[in-house]
Amino acid sequence: MGILSQTATTSPLISYIRKFTPDTRYSFRPERTANVRMKFLFSLVVLVGLLEYSFQQGTCDPKTCVLPNCRCLNDPNIPGKLSATDTPQMILLSFENAVIDEYVDYYTSFFEIVNPNGCPARGTFFVQDSGTTYNLVEDLYRLGHEIGVFSLDGETPSDWNFMIKTMLDKLSAAGIDRKSVKGLRAPSLLVGGNDQFNGIGLNGLQYDSSCASVELSHQNTLVWPFTYDYVPGPTCDIGKGPTNVFPGKWEFMISDLEWNGFPCATPSACVNVTSKQDAFDVLFNAFREHYLGRRTPFTIVINPQWAKTSFSREGTIEFLQYIRAAFTDTYIVTMSQALAWIQQPTPLANLTNFAPWKCQTEESLHFETV
């Protein structure tokens, strides 16, 4: 099966058709004809269900899976069918684990940058309950950063629904608008399949950002975020994606980085990054794959180890400063802001008036995605 295409499975349909279509070898006695007709009518009911199942399991058609709530994994177009030169290059800085005093200053040092529209750069924090100081989470939220769900204790939950619900309750109690919490990242990027996405759906979240992929990490294979209206999705490096459809639930892929010829899902996982220049290079090399391709959002996963190590932190800051100075079409935004743009593709020339990317005030921290 190709990376960017999925083939419909029609064998169940064929088997049902063959099983229940009237056979000319039967003698047409009235009672036998009636039985055959009943079986055939029943087959039509089953067939309708199988057609729906087969359609969802098969190739996603960009002509019928359309924005704002559906997008195909195999859609070759930039959202809105914009050209690359009309499309902002989005950098999605994301953080995970506990939010504690030791790390907050490191984290905020990445955001002393202004986007082309004059608004400050912002990122997404996937929060773990254990060890977190929740008033610091509220501070990040009030500054305009996005808050998402990570875990209770840094481990893969046995009950995704319980974990997500508990985290939403805790974040709400800390002053985070529950409607603004839209995304999830799995611990260790270990994707939890149907159970994880059931939890996402039951708790009203909109997206996952856990599926890292070495296969979808180069200029000609990078993909825009897509929905699980159709399965199967891509192969994740760790864990497994859903096998059931979850209409309208988005996946923000994490494309593997590459360093010294080896893939690494996160910067801290890249072996032998030992200097500020190394840290800059590993990020810029990946950025270039996105920028020279279809301007797919570049998700960067920053964990405490990377943030607190001086040379990797300084190399990351230099990278962010450089791309903002050298590339006037590059924005550092939250995942929810990126999703809002995908659902309402807006050319670069009109971004100044694009409401979800305007400078956030305390009153406008929560904006609606579709």
Side-chain angles (χ1 to χ4, degrees):
M1 181 178 294
I3 293 171
L4 295 179
S5 65
Q6 301 145 335
T7 303
T9 302
T10 57
S11 56
L13 304 181
I14 293 171
S15 65
Y16 267 94
I17 290 169
R18 288 175 177 170
K19 184 174 181 180
F20 292 114
T21 300
D23 193 325
T24 57
R25 291 174 298 177
Y26 286 124
S27 61
F28 283 87
R29 290 179 297 180
E31 67 275 12
R32 176 161 291 187
T33 302
N35 288 339
V36 170
R37 286 175 176 168
M38 287 299 294
K39 287 183 178 180
F40 187 68
L41 288 172
F42 173 76
S43 75
L44 290 177
V45 175
V46 175
L47 188 59
V48 170
L50 280 172
L51 280 169
E52 181 179 3
Y53 172 82
S54 178
F55 183 66
Q56 291 172 328
Q57 294 285 325
T59 301
C60 181
D61 184 355
K63 293 180 181 178
T64 56
C65 174
V66 296
L67 298 173
N69 294 316
C70 188
R71 179 176 166 87
C72 296
L73 167 65
N74 61 346
D75 191 337
N77 297 303
I78 293 172
K81 295 186 178 180
L82 297 179
S83 67
T85 54
D86 281 334
T87 303
Q89 177 60 62
M90 290 175 266
I91 307 296
L92 310 180
L93 286 181
S94 62
F95 304 80
E96 53 190 44
N97 296 103
V99 178
I100 61 176
D101 284 298
E102 180 184 356
Y103 302 138
V104 165
D105 287 344
Y106 298 146
Y107 293 156
T108 55
S109 67
F110 296 118
F111 295 102
E112 296 175 1
I113 302 170
V114 176
N115 280 320
N117 61 357
C119 298
R122 289 295 178 255
T124 303
F125 290 80
F126 296 100
V127 177
Q128 169 184 309
D129 176 53
S130 178
T132 285
T133 304
Y134 277 93
N135 66 329
L136 297 176
V137 178
E138 185 181 15
D139 290 344
L140 291 168
Y141 174 69
R142 297 297 169 196
L143 287 171
H145 297 290
E146 180 184 0
I147 306 301
V149 171
F150 184 64
S151 72
L152 292 174
D153 55 7
E155 301 295 330
T156 300
S158 58
D159 185 334
W160 285 95
N161 180 43
F162 174 79
M163 183 276 286
I164 296 170
K165 183 179 184 304
T166 302
M167 285 303 302
L168 289 173
D169 289 342
K170 289 177 176 288
L171 291 169
S172 180
I176 313 302
D177 183 352
R178 191 169 182 133
K179 291 181 180 178
S180 73
V181 182
K182 301 174 183 178
L184 169 72
R185 173 161 295 155
S188 303
L189 303 182
L190 181 60
V191 186
N194 293 333
D195 290 342
Q196 177 182 330
F197 278 82
N198 281 330
I200 287 173
L202 289 170
N203 289 282
L205 300 185
Q206 290 184 296
Y207 73 83
D208 171 67
S209 180
S210 308
C211 182
S213 173
V214 66
E215 294 179 340
L216 305 179
S217 59
H218 297 287
Q219 181 179 331
N220 62 340
T221 60
L222 290 164
V223 297
W224 278 84
F226 62 92
T227 60
Y228 276 110
D229 288 66
Y230 296 81
V231 291
T235 299
C236 305
D237 292 346
I238 312 171
K240 58 183 180 180
T243 56
N244 295 338
V245 295
F246 290 91
K249 300 306 177 186
W250 291 82
E251 182 66 53
F252 279 77
M253 295 294 296
I254 299 169
S255 55
D256 278 19
L257 309 168
E258 187 174 307
W259 186 244
N260 291 331
F262 293 96
C264 36
T266 68
S268 62
C270 298
V271 178
N272 292 327
V273 174
T274 59
S275 68
K276 176 181 174 180
Q277 186 63 51
D278 287 348
F280 178 97
D281 288 345
V282 73
L283 294 173
F284 184 75
N285 291 344
F287 167 82
R288 186 171 51 198
E289 296 290 322
H290 293 267
Y291 190 84
L292 296 178
R294 293 185 298 139
R295 301 286 173 90
T296 49
F298 176 24
T299 299
I300 303 175
V301 180
I302 297 178
N303 63 17
Q305 177 186 349
W306 184 265
K308 72 180 182 180
T309 303
S310 59
F311 70 79
S312 57
R313 182 177 65 255
E314 291 167 4
T316 302
I317 292 171
E318 185 174 294
F319 161 73
L320 295 170
Q321 291 174 338
Y322 174 74
I323 60 169
R324 273 299 307 109
F327 300 89
T328 57
D329 50 5
T330 296
Y331 283 74
I332 302 166
V333 296
T334 70
M335 290 192 168
S336 284
Q337 286 177 313
L339 179 56
W341 187 92
I342 293 165
Q343 293 179 318
Q344 286 182 272
T346 303
L348 274 166
N350 300 335
L351 279 179
T352 302
N353 297 318
F354 184 54
W357 287 19
K358 287 186 175 181
C359 302
Q360 300 295 307
T361 63
E362 188 163 331
E363 290 74 26
S364 65
L365 283 173
H366 172 60
F367 56 87
E368 292 291 341
T369 46
V370 181

